[in-house]
Amino acid sequence: MNVRDELLIDGEWRKPASSVRIPVVSPSTDEVIGEAPDANADDVDAAVRAARRSFDEGVWRLRPVAERAEVLERALGLIEPKLDEIGRLVTAEMGLPTAFAGMQIPGALAVGKYFLDVARDSPLSEVRQTMYGPAAVVKEPVGVVASIAPWNGPFNMAVSKIWPALVSGCSVVYKPAPETPLDAYYIAEALVEAGVPAGVFNYVTGDRDAGRALVAHPGVDKVSFTGSTAAGRQIGQECGGSFKRLQLELGGKSAAIVLDDADLTTTMTGLATGSFFNTGQVCAAYSRVLVPSGRYDEVVGALVATAESFVVGDPFDPATTMGPLVSKRQQERVLGYVEAGKAEGASVATGGGVPAGLEKGAFIQPTVFTGVENGMRIAQEEIFGPVASVIRYETVDEAIAIANDSEYGLHGAVFTADPQRAADVARRVRTGTFSVNSFTYNTEAPFGGVKCSGVGRDTGAEAVESYYELKTVNLTEDMTPLFS
C-alpha cells in the first residue's frame, strides 16, 4: 500500500485539517493500492495563503530567471533516478501499460527542460519607440496559480503545468485528480529538496470540493485546468466573476479525414495511436474517422484489424498494448455510449464489450462503429475510451463540413499523399491543432483548442508566455538603457 497522509503547504509536510482519505483503486485489479488526503476548504485556504504570501513578498518572483531555472533543473535531476519507480506507480494508478510508461515518464522531464530553456532565452522587457516617446513592455509573473490536472497522463501533466508556471516566477497550488494523487508526490519532494522557497509550490490532494475551493479562492490570480468541458464551463463562470486569468484544455471529438489517395499503412499507423492510445483516454483522440465512399469498406476492414491487434490485459505485462480504463465508473460510461450507438442505428464492427477473462478491473475491447451519422451521440459527445466512429462522405467539402460540425475543436488530421490537398484541408478544419499523416503531440509547439475545447495553449513557448502579464512603462529617454 502506498499511503500518503500529508500535504505540502508553505514548505512543510502537514497533516491535513480533513480526516477524510481518498482510496486509490487499481483499475486492473479493483484493489486499493494506496490512499491520499482529501483536502478540505481549510487545507486549500492554507495552501493559497502560503502561495499568496510567497508571491507578494517576492521570495521567488524577484529572483532572476536563470536562478529559478537552475533550481528547477536541479529538481528534474532529483526526479530522474526514480523514473522507473514513478512509471510503475502510474501504471498501478491508472493502467498505462509499462511499455508506454517507460517512454512517457522520461519524456516528461525533457518537456520540463524545454520550458526552462524557453524561459532562459526569452527577454523580459522590450523597449519600443512610439510617437509618444519610448515605452518598455515588461513581462511579469501573473501571480498565484491554481493548477488542476486530470488522471489520463498524471505525471506528464504535472510537469507541463508546474514547470512553466514556476520558471516564470509564479507561486503555485497544484491539485492532481483524485484517481491519481500519488505520483506527483515525487515532484513535490524534489522541488522542496532542490530549494524552491516555502510557499512557492504547494501540493494538495482532494476531490471536486477541493478543486472548487481552489478555483473560487480570492487569493488565486490564474486557474490552469485540464479536464472535461462541463467542468471547464463551471470554472469559466467562477473565474469570470473575479476576472481571474484562465487557461483551459478541455474535451475533443477530433476528426481524422482519410482522402481517397491516402496510403493505407500510414493511415492505420496514425489511427492506431490516434484512436486507441491510452485506451482512448486522450482528449485529442481521433474518435471520428471520415472515409470516402469509394474506400469505405477497405478502410473499415483495416481499422477493424488494427483494433483487434491490440493486446488487452495486465498493464504490468510487457506484452500488453492496451490496459484498462481508469475506473469502473469510466468503464460504465464507455459501455453506455456503446449501447447508445447501437440504439441510434450504428453497427459494432468489432469490440463493444468487456474482454473474456478480464471481468475484474475496468477493461474494454477496442471498438469500431460503422454506419455512423454525424448527428449521433457517439459522433458528437466525448466518450473518452477506445471507440472510433467511421463516417462515410462523398466529397472533400462534405468531409470538412462534417469535421467542423462539432462543438469541439481540439485536434484533427488528414491522411493523403498530396501535400497541397493536405495543406488545403488543414487550413479549412477549425481546430487548435492539426496533424498530417500522423497523430502528433508536439510539445515544442502550442497545443490547445478552439470552441468548447478550451482557451489558451499548454505547450510550446506559448505555455511559458501564458504565465506572464504585460506591463507598459512609459519612459523618459534617459531610462531606456534600464529596460533594454
Side-chain angles (χ1 to χ4, degrees):
M1 285 275 286
N2 191 323
V3 177
R4 298 281 192 164
D5 59 359
E6 294 178 317
L7 306 172
L8 178 62
I9 298 175
D10 207 7
E12 299 178 351
W13 289 103
R14 300 184 184 179
K15 297 290 185 182
S18 167
S19 61
V20 181
R21 296 293 182 266
I22 301 171
V24 182
V25 179
S26 166
S28 57
T29 65
D30 291 338
E31 297 174 355
V32 176
I33 59 168
E35 64 178 37
D38 186 3
N40 64 18
D42 290 337
D43 297 312
V44 170
D45 180 65
V48 175
R49 287 179 181 276
R52 183 80 264 161
R53 176 197 54 75
S54 73
F55 186 81
D56 292 343
E57 292 179 359
V59 297
W60 181 249
R61 67 179 172 88
L62 295 180
R63 290 192 188 185
V65 171
E67 287 187 17
R68 296 197 297 258
E70 183 180 357
V71 173
L72 295 172
E73 192 154 27
R74 187 157 58 243
L76 293 175
L78 293 169
I79 294 169
E80 194 162 8
K82 302 174 182 178
L83 288 180
D84 289 344
E85 185 179 342
I86 295 169
R88 289 192 296 271
L89 180 56
V90 169
T91 297
E93 281 182 303
M94 54 80 62
L96 180 69
T98 54
F100 300 120
M103 296 182 289
Q104 272 200 4
I105 306 303
L109 298 194
V111 172
K113 290 176 182 177
Y114 166 79
F115 287 136
L116 300 184
D117 290 341
V118 166
R120 289 181 178 116
D121 294 340
S122 178
L124 293 180
S125 64
E126 170 198 350
V127 175
R128 300 179 186 177
Q129 294 298 331
T130 78
M131 63 184 294
Y132 304 101
V137 180
V138 181
K139 294 190 294 189
E140 297 182 343
V142 71
V144 174
V145 177
S147 288
I148 303 174
W151 43 258
N152 61 322
F155 185 80
N156 301 38
M157 192 62 62
V159 173
S160 293
K161 285 188 176 294
I162 294 166
W163 258 251
L166 288 181
V167 77
S168 69
C170 295
S171 294
V172 174
V173 181
Y174 183 79
K175 191 194 87 68
E179 292 85 353
T180 53
L182 302 175
D183 57 275
Y185 272 95
Y186 288 88
I187 289 175
E189 291 164 349
L191 291 170
V192 171
E193 186 177 348
V196 172
V200 171
F201 178 77
N202 305 270
Y203 186 66
V204 296
T205 56
D207 211 331
R208 294 180 181 180
D209 287 345
R212 292 189 185 101
L214 186 53
V215 169
H217 199 290
V220 169
D221 299 299
K222 175 177 177 175
V223 174
S224 173
F225 172 80
T226 300
S228 72
T229 295
R233 286 192 178 99
Q234 295 176 1
I235 291 170
Q237 290 172 356
E238 177 66 44
C239 291
S242 56
F243 298 101
K244 287 185 174 78
R245 301 309 187 248
L246 193 60
Q247 193 161 323
L248 299 174
E249 198 267 277
L250 307 175
K253 197 67 186 176
S254 303
I257 301 175
V258 181
L259 297 189
D260 54 12
D261 63 347
D263 176 76
L264 193 61
T265 300
T266 300
T267 301
M268 288 306 120
T269 299
L271 294 180
T273 304
S275 299
F276 300 114
F277 177 71
N278 202 21
T279 320
Q281 298 168 125
V282 177
C283 52
Y286 300 152
S287 51
R288 294 182 294 158
V289 181
L290 280 49
V291 181
S293 289
R295 298 193 66 183
Y296 191 84
D297 292 341
E298 175 194 14
V299 172
V300 166
L303 187 57
V304 166
T306 297
E308 292 176 349
S309 71
F310 283 92
V311 179
V312 183
D314 178 4
F316 284 100
D317 185 340
T320 295
T321 56
M322 182 176 288
L325 294 162
V326 73
S327 64
K328 283 289 192 183
R329 181 176 65 180
Q330 187 65 15
Q331 182 192 50
E332 292 170 2
R333 170 185 167 86
V334 175
L335 290 174
Y337 272 108
V338 171
E339 293 306 310
K342 291 190 289 188
E344 288 186 300
S347 301
V348 175
T350 190
V354 176
L358 292 174
E359 289 77 16
K360 180 182 286 189
F363 295 95
I364 191 169
Q365 296 168 319
T367 301
V368 176
F369 269 107
T370 59
V372 179
E373 299 293 334
N374 200 52
M376 293 179 178
R377 286 182 61 201
I378 57 171
Q380 287 293 316
E381 298 178 18
E382 186 176 45
I383 298 174
F384 226 59
V387 180
S389 294
V390 187
I391 301 173
R392 185 190 303 266
Y393 72 85
E394 300 301 331
T395 67
V396 175
D397 285 346
E398 182 187 5
I400 291 169
I402 292 170
N404 287 334
D405 181 18
S406 171
E407 70 172 345
Y408 299 106
L410 185 58
H411 195 199
V414 63
F415 292 88
T416 175
D418 187 331
Q420 184 60 58
R421 297 178 80 195
D424 291 344
V425 173
R427 290 189 177 100
R428 294 177 64 190
V429 175
R430 188 159 181 247
T431 184
T433 314
F434 200 83
S435 297
V436 177
N437 290 330
S438 67
F439 177 88
T440 302
Y441 178 56
N442 186 349
T443 56
E444 296 187 12
F447 175 81
V450 299
K451 299 190 282 186
C452 292
S453 287
V455 177
R457 297 295 181 262
D458 278 355
T459 55
E462 290 76 8
V464 177
E465 295 297 322
S466 73
Y467 290 98
Y468 289 119
E469 289 278 20
L470 297 180
K471 174 189 284 183
T472 297
V473 182
N474 294 301
L475 308 173
T476 58
E477 288 291 348
D478 56 346
M479 295 176 64
T480 298
L482 302 176
F483 288 88
S484 299

